[in-house]
Amino acid sequence: MRFLPTDEQLAFTRSLHTMLTAAGAPAAARAWAAGDPAGGRAVWAGLAEAGVFALAVPENHGGLGPLPAELALAFVELGRHAVPGPVAETVAAAALLTALGDPAPAERLLPGIAAGEVMATLRLPGTGPYALDADAATSALVVDAAVRGPGPGSPGGAGDGAGGGDGSSKGNANTNGNANANAKNGGMDPPRPGPGAARPPTLRIAPGHGPVRASADPVRRLSVPEGGGEVLAAGPGVAAAAAHAEDWARLATAAQALGTGLALLDRTVEHVGRRAQFGVPIGSFQAVKHRLADTLIALEFARPLVLGAAVTMARADIAAAKVAAGEAAYGAARTALQLHGAIGYTEELDLALWLRKARPLRDAWGTPAQCRAAVLRP
């Protein structure tokens, strides 16, 4: 099978590259890290005008999609230009709302996502306590896993069904109606489960967030969403939609990591062509050539996995693409740091934006170990 992007897809990515180059995304990323989102919001508006977020939104909600192949190509460019903000999380939120089966939350949020008016962040069960850029997002969506109340003789309270709650279907017939009623009556939390009862997975909008925490990548601002808020949906459909959203988040992050690795490789090749030692460019040294060749091979092996996963949208294919792209980007970062020498450690060099992004992207929305397990899972 011969799989290559079409002429229209290539023209789309070229237009994104031109737009992001003119927009000065690295400068916007630096300002974003300092707590000034104005430049990042301007870049976001440009992406929305180009139709990037509409690719994840169905046509009946004002979008162009879902078009995962075009989205993957776009996210390679977003990674290449170090675009700040919860871009993967917004796409995942669109996927979750689309798969939810309840038209009310979709009609409320999806048109705004497609138009760039809604900047969403998302936290799913089993992905850690933090949400990305909740301080800048207009909507922080949180999926809470199914919680089982204490049964007769139980010494403690409810446990956390991390990972979406595989057993969340039990007891949903009694609690789903309560949750929907609460969503209609001001978004109050569902009543606490009685002995032996279970509260189903819920999707809610967090009313706020905790303080921003330090991150390996200063541009990726992490905070813990607050409890409570408006419940948008509850029931087993939320768990299924969350799993679907996680796949989209992994695909977008894999494409973003691939773009990050390509940017690191391009800047390193340019540097070793200029940097001279013993009267010749260090790029002419065989050891440097071999290191760059290994980096290029890893990235080029990851590229068809990312694009192929966007075509099949199979969970195992997406997980494999995430592993390959994340490891290739992290390898590109290590190569870039070594071949830039001491200058690679300086924060003033724009290279730092991509160096510090590669490791978090490798682990975001599924570590290599978690993704390998997903590939091997029957």
Side-chain angles (χ1 to χ4, degrees):
M1 183 177 73
R2 182 173 181 268
F3 172 72
L4 289 172
T6 65
D7 291 340
E8 291 80 4
Q9 290 170 334
L10 292 174
F12 174 57
T13 58
R14 284 194 296 267
S15 68
L16 279 181
H17 175 73
T18 301
M19 185 271 288
L20 290 172
T21 301
R30 287 186 177 277
W32 189 280
D36 178 10
R41 292 188 186 278
V43 174
W44 191 280
L47 293 173
E49 186 176 355
V52 171
F53 302 114
L55 296 172
V57 177
E59 293 182 8
N60 62 329
H61 289 294
L64 301 171
L67 296 172
E70 285 76 3
L71 191 81
L73 289 168
F75 268 72
V76 172
E77 291 303 316
L78 268 58
R80 194 190 292 268
H81 290 272
V83 171
V87 285
E89 289 69 22
T90 296
V91 163
L96 186 149
L97 293 166
T98 301
L100 201 55
D102 185 348
E107 292 171 359
R108 175 175 168 182
L109 294 173
L110 284 179
I113 290 177
E117 299 165 357
V118 173
M119 180 185 292
T121 190
L122 178 66
R123 192 189 73 187
L124 300 180
T127 58
Y130 300 110
L132 179 66
D133 296 319
D135 58 323
T138 57
S139 296
L141 301 180
V142 177
V143 174
D144 294 313
V147 176
R148 181 165 296 282
S154 296
D160 181 12
D166 293 337
S168 60
S169 60
K170 298 180 181 178
N172 285 329
N174 293 328
T175 56
N176 192 22
N178 290 335
N180 288 335
N182 288 325
K184 294 177 181 177
N185 295 320
M188 300 298 290
D189 280 344
R192 294 179 61 85
R199 184 164 63 190
T202 58
L203 169 65
R204 61 183 174 88
I205 298 181
H209 60 89
V212 175
R213 307 297 180 93
S215 170
D217 176 11
V219 183
R220 294 175 61 85
R221 298 167 60 84
L222 305 176
S223 56
V224 179
E226 294 178 350
E230 179 183 358
V231 175
L232 298 179
V238 173
H244 179 69
E246 185 177 36
D247 288 340
W248 278 74
R250 281 184 177 177
L251 176 66
T253 305
Q256 208 175 352
L258 176 60
T260 297
L262 292 171
L264 286 163
L265 179 61
D266 289 345
R267 282 159 176 76
T268 305
V269 169
E270 182 182 0
H271 174 76
V272 300
R274 292 195 315 262
R275 176 77 166 88
Q277 194 172 21
F278 306 114
V280 296
I282 62 173
S284 64
F285 300 158
Q286 189 176 45
V288 173
K289 289 180 179 180
H290 286 179
R291 188 69 185 267
L292 291 172
D294 290 342
T295 302
L296 176 62
I297 289 171
L299 291 167
E300 289 304 319
F301 268 87
R303 189 196 300 269
L305 288 177
V306 172
L307 299 182
V311 172
T312 67
M313 288 304 291
R315 171 159 293 185
D317 293 345
I318 294 172
K322 178 68 169 55
V323 171
E327 296 284 25
Y330 185 48
R334 293 169 64 89
T335 296
L337 185 60
Q338 180 180 12
L339 297 185
H340 274 80
I343 194 175
Y345 287 93
T346 60
E347 188 67 29
E348 293 77 12
L349 190 68
D350 275 349
L351 183 77
L353 292 172
W354 290 272
L355 282 175
R356 302 185 73 164
K357 194 175 295 295
R359 177 65 179 269
L361 286 177
R362 187 191 74 162
D363 294 339
W365 294 106
T367 64
Q370 290 170 331
C371 289
R372 288 188 178 99
V375 173
L376 297 174
R377 189 176 299 127

